[in-house]
Amino acid sequence: MLEDDFADGRPPLEDAGVRIVSDVEPYELMKLRLLNASHQALCYPGYLAGYRLVHEVTTDPLFARFLLDYMTAEAIPTLRPVPGIDVHQYARQLIERFSNPEVRDTVARLCANTSDLIPKFLLPVIRYQLAAGGPITRSAAVVASWARYAEGTDENGETYEIDDVLAPQLRAAAGRQRGHPAAFLEDNRAVFGDLADDTRFTRVYSSILTALLDGGVRKTFADLDHYATPESRPD
């Protein structure tokens, strides 16, 4: 897909299957906040639950429902109209694509470099919804799952390395969160910025993180609405 902004005419790119649009930004935001952010929405809880391949996560009804709810209730409302695209159908198609066992994409690959990626993909959704008074529960659950993942041990007791340029800092912050749930946000302000001081976000995030630490991913994700503030509940 290319924006129709050529300085000296345009080659017949359509003949090669390239889609030419007048404004590429809506399509870019759709990719970032649905496709890319969904990678992160599935990888941390999936890895903690013991899954190592992407299709294993998204063929689990609990996590497939979580992904769809994130995209439908939280991400899609932040998008501008995307000409020619049914974004709700696109969301369902993404889950179908992720569920293809032939791809054999690894969950670990999607967990890498989070400190660089999550501010581009997911945090803008949270900021938009906070400003609009909209739902943030699923997005907060992704961040809380990352914080739990950063402890370096899954729910089966298996240890792993954190593949991130900030790995030592992330692990140190995660090591403090069992006594202070907001530690991961506060100690990583280069990633979270003002979100670490937003009381609505930190309240929802801390409740979900505490539930993850106490009861695990499956129990927490099965009852996420319990941790939502009234304005965070999906319709």
Side-chain angles (χ1 to χ4, degrees), residues 31-47 54 57-58 66-67 70-71 90 94-95 97-98 103 105-112 114 117-118 121-122 142:
K31 177 181 180 295
L32 293 173
R33 298 181 183 182
L34 298 185
L35 170 61
N36 297 119
S38 287
H39 279 162
Q40 298 184 310
L42 71 87
C43 68
Y44 316 114
Y47 202 99
V54 170
V57 184
T58 53
F66 171 75
L67 273 183
Y70 157 72
M71 288 190 278
Y90 177 70
L94 285 177
I95 296 175
R97 285 166 52 186
F98 297 156
V103 177
D105 196 5
T106 67
V107 180
R109 183 187 73 81
L110 302 185
C111 290
T114 302
L117 301 179
I118 208 167
F121 303 156
L122 183 74
V142 178

Side-chain angles (χ1 to χ4, degrees), residues 42-199:
L42 71 87
C43 68
Y44 316 114
Y47 202 99
L48 290 170
Y51 292 127
R52 295 297 178 261
L53 294 173
V54 170
H55 75 271
E56 295 173 337
V57 184
T58 53
T59 53
D60 182 318
L62 176 67
F63 296 122
R65 182 77 246 175
F66 171 75
L67 273 183
L68 189 60
D69 286 346
Y70 157 72
M71 288 190 278
T72 300
E74 300 185 21
I76 286 176
T78 75
L79 301 177
R80 293 166 50 191
V82 187
I85 302 291
D86 180 334
V87 291
H88 291 274
Q89 181 180 7
Y90 177 70
R92 293 189 294 271
Q93 289 172 340
L94 285 177
I95 296 175
E96 292 176 7
R97 285 166 52 186
F98 297 156
S99 301
N100 184 350
E102 301 302 319
V103 177
R104 301 196 68 76
D105 196 5
T106 67
V107 180
R109 183 187 73 81
L110 302 185
C111 290
N113 304 313
T114 302
S115 65
D116 180 54
L117 301 179
I118 208 167
K120 302 172 185 176
F121 303 156
L122 183 74
L123 300 190
V125 172
I126 296 173
R127 288 192 169 91
Y128 181 103
Q129 292 290 14
L130 286 170
I136 58 167
T137 308
R138 271 73 189 170
S139 299
V142 178
V143 179
S145 298
W146 178 34
R148 170 63 183 85
Y149 172 86
E151 292 185 344
T153 306
D154 71 12
E155 293 184 349
N156 299 314
E158 179 180 332
T159 60
Y160 46 84
E161 295 298 319
I162 307 299
D163 185 2
D164 194 292
V165 67
L166 298 182
Q169 176 181 323
L170 297 173
R171 289 201 64 164
R176 294 202 311 117
Q177 65 194 5
R178 290 180 181 263
H180 181 50
F184 194 76
L185 304 178
E186 295 170 356
D187 293 358
N188 292 294
R189 288 180 181 272
V191 176
F192 295 108
D194 57 350
L195 287 178
D197 302 312
D198 188 293
T199 55

